[in-house]
Amino acid sequence: MTDLIIIGAGPGGYETAVRAAALGLQTTIIEAATPGGTCLNQGCIPTKCLCRSAELLTEAREAATYGVETGRVSFDLATAITRKDNVVAQLVQGVRGLLTKPGITLIEGHGKIDAEHNVVVEKTDGTHETLQAKHIIIATGSETKYLPIPGANSRDVVTSTELLAATTLPKRLCVIGGGVIGMEFASIFNAFGSQVSVVEYCKEILPAIDKDIAKRLRTSMKKRGVDFHVGAAVTAIEELSESSVVVFSEKGKEQRLEADVVLMAVGRAPRLHGIGLEDAGIDFTPRGIHVDNDMQTNVAGIYAIGDVNGLCPLAHAATFQGYRALHHITASTARTADLSLVPAAVFTVPEVATVGRSEDDLKAAGVACHVGKSFYRANGKSLAMGSDEGMVKLVSGEDGTLLGCQVLGAHAADLVHEVAVLMAVGGTVEQLRTTIHAHPTLSELILSASE
């Protein structure tokens, strides 16, 4: 019997395994696919590689504005995809290296919990092995959702996984879903030169983001040539001889949009099937496995972290949920991270980043708040960079305690962490206002918003 079995080697699983081994727990981690999970292999990392290609391509096209003559600028998608594959391969190799550390055993295969709370592994070589452990962590992640409509699985419909492997640039790309995945791909392929249309069911893109920020992002991307249909319900996808038509209802009227490639980006669902939840007596719904504040399920000794519990579908959230589970397993008295304080970023152009609560959220809850704003167009560094599009919003309580921050603009994903750190220690607007910030920097945007 080992101390800990982890099913799934995504960010939550492998980071937890490394820390568990460091704490002295003999740990076995089981992975049915490639170590690193969706984030490394089909999500965060490969998408950011293409974001970088899109960023360089845009800068090259605009270089003459800065007095830099580049000549004719061309783009080769296959080369960008090859670079992405190389980056992913390098990081996968690094994860495999981490999982060879003393105290960790990696088994490649499919793990399933049985009625006795053993883990039965069907290995990739076809053999089976039954394992026992004092504790089990389920970290099986999530899978792509599909709309339950005619044509959802037709010829031209792809998920983010297939689009990340494309070597031919689609002339016309229709993105179904204006969430994080949809908006990042819309931004990337718009820069690459595709004619991009986004069809979103909700009244605004990025439904979980502050409406002021989301609307400004949509306006910005529209100026770059992305076509938006919000408040639109897709009802069918029809195949033509060499393309497809996305059929949707907008303002009570049926609309038809022709595209060469249709990206299904309507979210992800917890990967719950085939891991023995019913046999083990673990409570779950289609939204995820039920867990308590320590990530423990209703079955003592069995935990669920990351996308599979449906709490927060972010890689870094999965990692810190794993740490919280270890904290409980080892009966540690050390302080743990506040799992309600999770920064998030959307790598569009311009970027979006948030932490804590938004003005919309607080108003809906009837909580009084103060909002401070600053704008990139008034910041010296952003003007020098040629990135004068965007804003910062700081949200605080009546006593001045920082409650949230939303940023739209260059390096938003970096800027928001200054506020995240202050919020983690109960910081106030006054403390932020009285902290000297270097000039000229983008961080002065945070200072300006506090004032």
Side-chain angles (χ1 to χ4, degrees), residues 191-224:
F192 287 172
S194 295
Q195 178 184 326
V196 180
S197 299
V198 178
V199 183
E200 167 56 42
Y201 178 77
C202 295
K203 293 181 180 179
E204 188 54 88
I205 62 169
L206 299 176
I209 301 291
D210 177 89
K211 289 184 179 62
D212 194 9
I213 295 290
K215 183 178 180 180
R216 288 171 183 269
L217 174 63
R218 178 165 57 88
T219 300
S220 174
M221 292 182 66
K222 190 173 181 179
K223 289 178 181 177
R224 289 178 169 81

Side-chain angles (χ1 to χ4, degrees), residues 7-77:
I7 305 175
Y14 78 77
E15 295 278 12
T16 302
V18 171
R19 179 163 291 195
L23 292 171
L25 300 179
Q26 289 298 313
T27 302
T28 297
I29 185 165
I30 303 163
E31 175 55 53
T34 306
T38 297
C39 177
L40 173 49
N41 293 285
Q42 299 96 25
C44 318
I45 300 302
T47 306
K48 302 304 104 55
C49 288
L50 296 191
C51 282
R52 178 58 176 158
S53 293
E55 180 183 36
L56 286 174
L57 181 57
T58 300
E59 288 180 352
R61 287 170 177 161
E62 298 173 353
T65 304
Y66 301 86
V68 179
E69 295 296 337
T70 59
R72 181 178 176 273
V73 178
S74 62
F75 173 68
D76 181 62
L77 179 61

Side-chain angles (χ1 to χ4, degrees), residues 252-335:
K253 295 182 179 180
E254 182 180 279
Q255 306 283 354
R256 299 172 66 84
L257 182 64
E258 190 172 348
D260 304 301
V261 174
V262 179
L263 173 63
M264 188 67 69
V266 293
R268 298 182 64 83
R271 186 175 282 116
L272 302 165
H273 303 292
I275 53 177
L277 300 180
E278 298 91 342
D279 294 341
I282 297 170
D283 289 342
F284 70 98
T285 71
R287 293 179 177 272
I289 297 172
H290 295 160
V291 294
D292 62 17
N293 289 335
D294 295 309
M295 303 298 118
Q296 187 168 218
T297 69
N298 61 299
V299 178
I302 300 181
Y303 302 77
I305 64 171
D307 289 8
V308 76
N309 65 29
L311 294 179
C312 184
L314 295 170
H316 43 287
T319 296
F320 279 86
Q321 287 177 10
Y323 296 164
R324 173 67 65 85
L326 285 179
H327 186 270
H328 189 253
I329 289 169
T330 60
S332 172
T333 58
R335 182 184 175 188

Side-chain angles (χ1 to χ4, degrees), residues 21 25 40 49 93 98 160-161 170 196 202 224 227 230 241 246 286 289 311 320 332 344-346 364 377 389 396 433:
L25 300 179
L40 173 49
C49 288
Q93 184 179 5
L98 288 173
S160 56
T161 300
V196 180
C202 295
R224 289 178 169 81
D227 186 33
V230 294
S241 59
V246 177
I289 297 172
L311 294 179
F320 279 86
S332 172
V346 187
R377 62 177 179 266
E389 191 174 24
S396 59
R433 187 184 298 128

Side-chain angles (χ1 to χ4, degrees), residues 112-265:
K112 182 177 181 180
I113 306 172
D114 65 17
E116 286 73 41
H117 301 159
N118 301 314
V119 177
V120 180
V121 184
E122 182 181 353
K123 298 182 180 180
T124 53
D125 62 7
T127 62
H128 290 75
E129 183 177 359
T130 299
L131 306 173
Q132 294 180 320
K134 298 173 185 175
H135 306 280
I136 298 170
I137 294 178
I138 302 168
T140 49
S142 61
E143 56 196 7
T144 301
K145 283 183 182 178
Y146 285 82
L147 287 179
I149 58 171
N153 298 102
S154 58
R155 179 195 61 212
D156 298 324
V157 177
V158 301
T159 68
S160 56
T161 300
E162 290 82 48
L163 198 52
L164 282 167
T167 53
T168 301
L169 187 67
K171 182 177 179 181
R172 297 165 298 179
L173 172 66
C174 178
V175 179
I176 301 178
V180 174
I181 296 171
M183 295 313 301
E184 289 189 349
F185 277 95
S187 182
I188 290 167
F189 279 82
N190 168 249
F192 287 172
S194 295
Q195 178 184 326
V196 180
S197 299
V198 178
V199 183
E200 167 56 42
Y201 178 77
C202 295
K203 293 181 180 179
E204 188 54 88
I205 62 169
L206 299 176
I209 301 291
D210 177 89
K211 289 184 179 62
D212 194 9
I213 295 290
K215 183 178 180 180
R216 288 171 183 269
L217 174 63
R218 178 165 57 88
T219 300
S220 174
M221 292 182 66
K222 190 173 181 179
K223 289 178 181 177
R224 289 178 169 81
V226 179
D227 186 33
F228 288 94
H229 300 272
V230 294
V234 177
T235 56
I237 300 169
E238 301 173 358
E239 285 188 16
L240 302 179
S241 59
E242 296 183 356
S243 60
S244 289
V245 171
V246 177
V247 184
F248 58 95
S249 175
E250 184 179 19
K251 297 180 180 178
K253 295 182 179 180
E254 182 180 279
Q255 306 283 354
R256 299 172 66 84
L257 182 64
E258 190 172 348
D260 304 301
V261 174
V262 179
L263 173 63
M264 188 67 69

